[in-house]
Amino acid sequence: MAVATGLAGALHPAFLLTSSDVQSEPLFLTLLLGAAFLLLAATDRPSTTLALAAGGATALAALTRASGLALAPFLLAPILDRRYPLRARAHLTAAALLGFVFVLSPWTLRNALVFREFLPVNDAAGNAFYQGNSDWTLRFYALETRADYEAWMKAFDADMRRRTEEMDRDGRGSPAGRSRAFTVQALAERARDPASWGRLMLWKTWDWLRPYPNPMFWPRSVVFGAAVYYLALLSLAVVGIAKAPRP
């Protein structure tokens, strides 16, 4: 079963796509999966060294993509494992957190010295939040064709550049200042239309759960083939979960 799972992962369309492109996702996924493995191994053994490595790998993932910071709370998981005494669990948890802080803190300190403000990794958090929750995102989910997307992307990019230049002119141009400004702007736009939060969450959930890639970007043959593959994996996962022995 483990070999079959590995083969299925090696042939997973999304993994094949990201591994063939020069972006941060392949490195981020490698560090993320490595951190998860190390944390599980550290808890099962238990091992202080592996816990330190798990924290360090999580920090490296966060330095690769700032969204990895949201995964730091999972380093507290060993404290919940009741197989061991509280003292041992606390020791593993502390080691994981120490590894995380040890690897992340030099870059955070560098940002504090350079920009004179607290910036754990970079200023991408507010920018990403705006991109995922602004009125532009609502317009994205209304697109129907690739031409619509290209026109939307051109207008969106121009608007983001305009907003960034305005922030630079009125004194909000520091990394943390831009991040806060984009976050506030996204919240203000959604506050003007509270019902849109629900629609956005539904669209995003469907984006994550649908068993095929976006037809706006891929030919029908690819969409159909990926759907068959995803549904087969999902069916096998359901069978495996149902039949897996439980203590």
Side-chain angles (χ1 to χ4, degrees), residues 66-151:
S67 57
L69 290 172
L71 303 173
F74 285 101
L75 296 174
L76 298 172
I79 200 71
L80 302 176
D81 191 340
R82 296 184 176 275
R83 292 178 295 174
Y84 309 109
L86 178 59
R87 182 176 179 180
R89 288 182 276 150
H91 181 82
L92 289 174
T93 302
L97 293 175
L98 177 62
F100 179 81
V101 172
F102 181 78
V103 174
L104 186 70
S105 57
W107 183 255
T108 304
L109 178 61
R110 174 262 180 194
N111 288 342
L113 295 174
V114 173
F115 301 112
R116 305 296 181 183
E117 53 190 5
F118 178 68
L119 199 66
V121 178
N122 56 36
D123 62 347
N127 191 299
F129 185 79
Y130 182 81
Q131 291 185 37
N133 298 282
S134 68
D135 289 342
W136 284 102
T137 317
L138 292 174
R139 296 170 196 161
F140 169 79
Y141 284 109
L143 302 177
E144 296 181 354
T145 67
R146 183 63 179 264
D148 292 339
Y149 170 76
E150 291 175 354

Side-chain angles (χ1 to χ4, degrees), residues 2 6 16 20 26 31 41 57 72 91 106 114 118 124 134 152 157 204 210:
L16 291 175
S20 64
L31 292 169
H91 181 82
V114 173
F118 178 68
S134 68
W152 172 88
D157 182 66
K204 290 179 182 181
R210 69 181 175 201

Side-chain angles (χ1 to χ4, degrees), residues 18-54:
T18 56
S19 64
S20 64
D21 200 2
V22 183
Q23 294 194 39
S24 61
E25 282 83 353
L27 178 59
F28 178 71
L29 284 173
T30 300
L31 292 169
L32 190 62
L33 293 173
F37 168 77
L38 290 168
L39 188 62
L40 288 171
T43 306
D44 285 338
R45 303 239 168 151
S47 168
T48 302
T49 302
L50 291 178
L52 283 167

Side-chain angles (χ1 to χ4, degrees), residues 135-237:
D135 289 342
W136 284 102
T137 317
L138 292 174
R139 296 170 196 161
F140 169 79
Y141 284 109
L143 302 177
E144 296 181 354
T145 67
R146 183 63 179 264
D148 292 339
Y149 170 76
E150 291 175 354
W152 172 88
M153 190 65 205
K154 184 177 180 180
F156 175 58
D157 182 66
D159 184 64
M160 291 294 289
R161 291 177 183 275
R162 178 186 61 79
R163 292 178 185 275
T164 302
E165 291 171 358
E166 288 179 357
M167 293 176 193
D168 290 340
R169 286 195 298 268
D170 63 18
R172 295 176 295 165
S174 70
R178 280 196 298 267
S179 184
R180 287 192 298 269
F182 275 121
T183 300
V184 169
Q185 180 62 35
L187 292 173
E189 291 180 9
R190 296 286 56 78
R192 291 196 295 266
D193 183 14
S196 62
W197 275 116
R199 296 198 303 273
L200 267 178
M201 293 303 104
L202 288 174
W203 283 330
K204 290 179 182 181
T205 301
W206 175 240
D207 259 350
W208 277 98
L209 297 181
R210 69 181 175 201
Y212 56 86
N214 195 328
M216 187 164 56
F217 302 107
W218 299 96
R220 291 184 178 180
S221 58
V222 173
V223 173
F224 178 78
V228 171
Y229 184 74
Y230 286 154
L231 289 173
L233 287 181
L234 180 61
S235 300
L236 291 173

